[in-house]
Amino acid sequence: MTGRGAGPAALVLALALTLATTTPAHAHAGGLTPQDHLSRVTAIDPPLPGVTARTVNHGTQLEVRNDGGAPVVVAGHEVRPGEVHRFRDERTTAPAWEVPIGASVIRGRVDTVPGPNPVWWLLGCLALAVAGWALGRRRHLLAVGVVVVTGAHAWHAVGSTLAVTGGSFAPLLLGASGVGLVAWPLAVLAVVAAARRRPAAAFASAVVGAMLVVAGIPDVDSFRFSQLPFAGPADLDRLLVALVLGGGLGLAAGGFDHMRRETPR
């Protein structure tokens, strides 16, 4: 194989290994998914002293907290003073719902909000891909791109993890990170190689970009749904996803192009 052919072949091999050796990660931590509807608690009627209720985990579970002086029974479960009980209840998926709790009821509703037009976000991804490819003309700019795209992926993973209630942070973050667990350390190597002016910087940048695109593909749904399981504004999460997908694609193309131009003919 010639030097000009080694770069693309290595990149394809890295992608193939990535796809073959990793299990699909959930788009967001805890298996939560974007949607246009969200169930909310509106009141406990009549109020129970010290007892509060809310929906958690993107509206999929009802959480009852008992800070009162007497136990309460909800969905056949006794919640003692000082306890928190979370559970799924199909009744909370109705447009207007009620769940009995002791002598009272928890009232709630499901709000539906149309999602954004995904075309604008996809066009944004395309623009970021072109910008990322342009970074390939300078090795140190590739390193900057690696930091931005990797940081966006890490932020998205942490934000989706923080949106989960009742789970351990570390396992949830590992599940949300997926391919990022390999790409993040490789991103550090890419930056170090760029700082030392090593030719491997372009290859490492291309592989990081390609891996993060693979990791970010399940998040495309964030562009078309209004309610995102993310600890922060939905548009911020969409921007992070666009940086991962568009920027990652640009890094892959820019890194490969840099390798092609620096390979002796």
Side-chain angles (χ1 to χ4, degrees), residues 197-241:
R197 300 179 180 277
R198 300 289 175 80
F203 174 71
S205 299
V207 173
V208 168
M211 293 178 76
L212 291 183
V213 169
V214 173
I217 286 175
D219 290 312
V220 170
D221 276 350
S222 300
F223 295 155
R224 66 188 181 99
F225 288 109
S226 62
Q227 309 296 320
L228 307 183
F230 179 77
D235 278 344
L236 172 60
D237 194 26
R238 294 188 189 98
L239 175 61
L240 296 175
V241 172

Side-chain angles (χ1 to χ4, degrees), residues 1-120:
M1 183 178 294
T2 66
R4 296 181 64 182
L11 183 58
V12 171
L13 177 61
L15 278 174
L17 288 174
T18 298
L19 291 170
T21 59
T22 57
T23 56
H26 290 297
H28 291 80
L32 305 181
T33 57
Q35 56 195 23
D36 283 336
H37 57 274
L38 200 62
S39 186
R40 305 177 190 276
V41 171
T42 57
I44 296 180
D45 186 23
L48 294 171
V51 178
T52 58
R54 62 171 183 161
T55 56
V56 296
N57 293 330
H58 212 42
T60 61
Q61 286 186 302
L62 189 59
E63 178 188 275
V64 174
R65 179 181 296 273
N66 187 359
D67 292 323
V72 294
V73 176
V74 59
H77 182 87
E78 183 179 76
V79 186
R80 298 176 180 175
E83 288 184 343
V84 176
H85 179 51
R86 301 184 189 92
F87 59 100
R88 289 180 180 271
D89 195 310
E90 290 301 320
R91 287 171 287 190
T92 62
T93 61
W97 53 266
E98 294 181 356
V99 174
I101 178 169
S104 301
V105 293
I106 303 171
R107 300 188 189 280
R109 70 171 188 266
V110 175
D111 296 323
T112 301
V113 179
N117 187 339
V119 172
W120 296 112

